[in-house]
Amino acid sequence: MDESTDLQGKRLVLGLSGGIACYKSAELVRALVKAGASVQVVMTQAATQFITPVTMQALSNQPVVLDQWDARAPNNMAHINLTREADAVLVAPASADFIAKLVQGRADEILSLMCLARPIERCPLLLAPAMNREMWAHPATQRNIAQARADGATVLGPAAGDQACGEIGDGRMLEALALRDEVIAFFEPKRLAGKRVLITAGPTFEAIDPVRGITNLSSGKMGFAVARAAREAGAAVTLVAGPVHLPTPAGVRRIDVQSALQMHDAVLPLAPIHDVFVATAAVADWRPASLSDHKIKKDGAKQVPSFELTENPDILAAVARLPQRPYCVGFAAESHDLLKHAREKLIRKNVPLIVGNLGPATFGRDDNALLLVDAHGERQLATASKRALARELVREIAQRLSSPTAS
Ligand code: CTP
């Protein structure tokens, strides 16, 4: 599944209230449209001080609604019409003043009027707060945010960091692409709500000396995609990652490690408090038996150095042996005889599900093909993006968790 189809068919209303973060809303509308959504923009008068309706119209490809007396609607009821067909309203930026108005049920301009008039059961409201850190931290704003949540709104962000006023702290609106991803996640069915999922991803790096080591070609993309999909499905996700340069999926707790031993030591204490363990990491099977404190030098040496290797612990098998084990999913990266090796790992590691893939064909790529192997048989997931496959795998796991025979 390509990012560009994630919001296919979704009808969104994007509301802008007044704030400097309006400049991010231009990129946001573009990202939402690119992801397949149709976007109707509604702006308060204050928002038009920060960005022009011309820009927003051009990027959304739809005339912008600016006031409640807009005579273009045949029934002259823009505030009603706008939300009747919408799948969600996203207010980004949501200023402190706008949130206060929302909480009070005020309706003296088009955006708050429209929010009040929306069918609350059918048309969810998402708020992306944007304001100065003192305004955000003020008890009045915190009270209002809590009340907006209690009234059913979903609050996205805010982020922390540099602010337009020169101060640093909480209150920045999430970046456009992060907001787009939050909207995508919002629409995903919450199949793993209340579940805790632990994932390993990427290669490990087994040091030989301070500047060299043994590693492999795993990119971590599959594991990161599973982490994102599990979080989108409502799980609390912990991702233990080997050395990769991938951004952490939103809302995922990440623990960075280097070696197989570090990965093992990070995973084992966490495993019993998780419901699911997905081992996507390409853990190095061996590490140098001893680590040289200094860089091994070539000068003067007549002989090529040789290393003794020692076996790394099998993290997946160790988790599967725990008395309080989570539902364990292993990966098998093979170069040949995928089914045979995957089935053999299912038994050897004593796990209920192994996901086979051809390592050399998938390392570093954005797509993959998977073979799900369990005690009952196997199921092929045809070549697709790692994102789409990760979602399918999460669906499978959720189904197995809800089945009484899951172990
Ligand atoms: N695994 C693990 N710890 C290890 C080795 C593997 O947790 N030390 C996990 C992997 O994350 C994967 C599964 O076990 O989920 C299978 O890994 P793979 O490298 O395919 O298999 P190995 O057990 O290493 O066997 P072989 O190298 O002989 O194929």
Side-chain angles (χ1 to χ4, degrees):
M1 190 182 310
D2 181 80
E3 301 272 356
S4 65
T5 61
D6 277 340
L7 293 174
Q8 199 62 50
K10 291 281 184 269
R11 289 156 303 186
L12 303 177
V13 177
L14 174 62
L16 277 68
S17 59
I20 185 62
C22 280
Y23 82 90
K24 295 184 186 175
S25 305
E27 200 189 339
L28 173 61
V29 71
R30 203 157 180 267
L32 295 172
V33 168
K34 217 170 153 206
S38 72
V39 184
Q40 169 66 63
V41 176
V42 178
M43 296 171 72
T44 64
Q45 285 303 310
T48 63
Q49 297 288 322
F50 293 94
I51 189 166
T52 70
V54 174
T55 300
M56 297 308 286
Q57 176 171 349
L59 294 173
S60 65
N61 204 24
Q62 296 195 49
V64 173
V65 176
L66 295 164
D67 79 276
Q68 68 267 48
W69 311 117
D70 192 330
R72 285 173 301 178
N75 63 355
N76 212 307
M77 294 189 200
H79 65 291
I80 303 284
N81 306 340
L82 282 166
T83 56
R84 291 306 178 266
E85 302 295 325
D87 293 299
V89 173
L90 166 63
V91 181
S95 66
D97 177 58
F98 182 76
I99 296 166
K101 284 170 70 174
L102 205 60
V103 164
Q104 289 182 1
R106 296 170 72 101
D108 58 356
E109 44 71 37
I110 181 63
L111 191 54
S112 53
L113 173 61
M114 181 198 78
C115 287
L116 193 66
R118 81 186 205 285
I120 201 162
E121 301 295 337
R122 218 164 20 83
C123 182
L125 175 63
L126 285 69
L127 301 175
M131 65 200 74
N132 164 269
R133 67 190 173 107
E134 300 291 1
M135 292 168 77
W136 173 251
H138 196 285
T141 304
Q142 289 304 310
R143 210 164 46 233
N144 289 339
I145 279 287
Q147 187 58 52
R149 280 201 175 101
D151 291 345
T154 297
V155 179
L156 308 176
D162 290 340
Q163 302 208 303
C165 51
E167 297 179 1
I168 299 170
D170 287 341
R172 276 169 63 97
M173 189 166 90
L174 290 181
E175 296 304 321
L177 297 185
L179 269 178
R180 175 204 60 192
D181 289 350
E182 290 292 347
V183 173
I184 291 170
F186 177 82
F187 285 116
E188 275 298 295
K190 300 296 173 244
R191 296 185 168 93
L192 291 178
K195 301 288 183 202
R196 305 180 71 173
V197 177
L198 178 64
I199 298 166
T200 61
T204 62
F205 180 87
E206 311 299 328
I208 295 169
D209 69 14
V211 296
R212 304 185 181 89
I214 302 169
T215 187
N216 61 63
L217 290 174
S218 166
S219 65
K221 285 181 180 171
M222 192 68 227
F224 276 60
V226 174
R228 178 174 172 183
R231 192 262 174 171
E232 286 178 344
V237 180
T238 307
L239 176 63
V240 180
V244 292
H245 298 284
L246 294 174
T248 310
V252 168
R253 174 185 171 216
R254 174 176 180 168
I255 300 170
D256 282 318
V257 296
Q258 293 279 318
S259 67
L261 280 181
Q262 287 171 354
M263 189 173 272
H264 174 271
D265 292 352
V267 164
L268 265 286
L270 291 173
I273 54 166
H274 284 78
D275 302 287
V276 179
F277 176 52
V278 187
T280 73
V283 184
D285 290 319
W286 303 281
R287 66 180 183 277
S290 60
L291 169 67
S292 168
D293 288 340
H294 302 290
K295 184 182 171 194
I296 301 167
K297 299 296 284 179
K298 169 167 100 230
D299 42 70
K302 295 269 179 305
Q303 275 188 328
V304 176
S306 63
F307 305 105
E308 203 186 314
L309 295 174
T310 186
E311 195 170 337
N312 274 323
D314 188 318
I315 301 166
L316 176 60
V319 171
R321 277 195 302 269
L322 291 171
Q324 271 217 306
R325 71 178 202 169
Y327 182 85
C328 291
V329 181
F331 268 65
E334 308 294 343
S335 59
H336 62 289
D337 288 338
L338 185 53
L339 178 58
K340 176 172 161 284
H341 289 303
R343 195 155 285 292
E344 184 265 326
K345 277 175 195 174
L346 189 77
I347 295 159
R348 175 157 54 87
K349 305 205 180 208
N350 186 27
V351 295
L353 179 62
I354 286 281
V355 182
N357 60 162
L358 292 170
T362 182
F363 278 169
R365 292 178 57 97
D366 290 323
D367 59 5
N368 200 356
L370 301 180
L371 183 67
L372 308 189
V373 180
D374 67 10
H376 310 290
E378 54 277 340
R379 186 178 154 217
Q380 178 75 49
L381 303 184
T383 302
S385 70
K386 288 182 177 175
R387 259 181 59 57
L389 291 169
R391 280 186 178 164
E392 189 57 38
L393 181 59
V394 161
R395 208 168 297 148
E396 278 279 342
I397 293 170
Q399 223 165 48
R400 285 154 194 266
L401 282 186
S402 59
S403 125
T405 52
S407 58

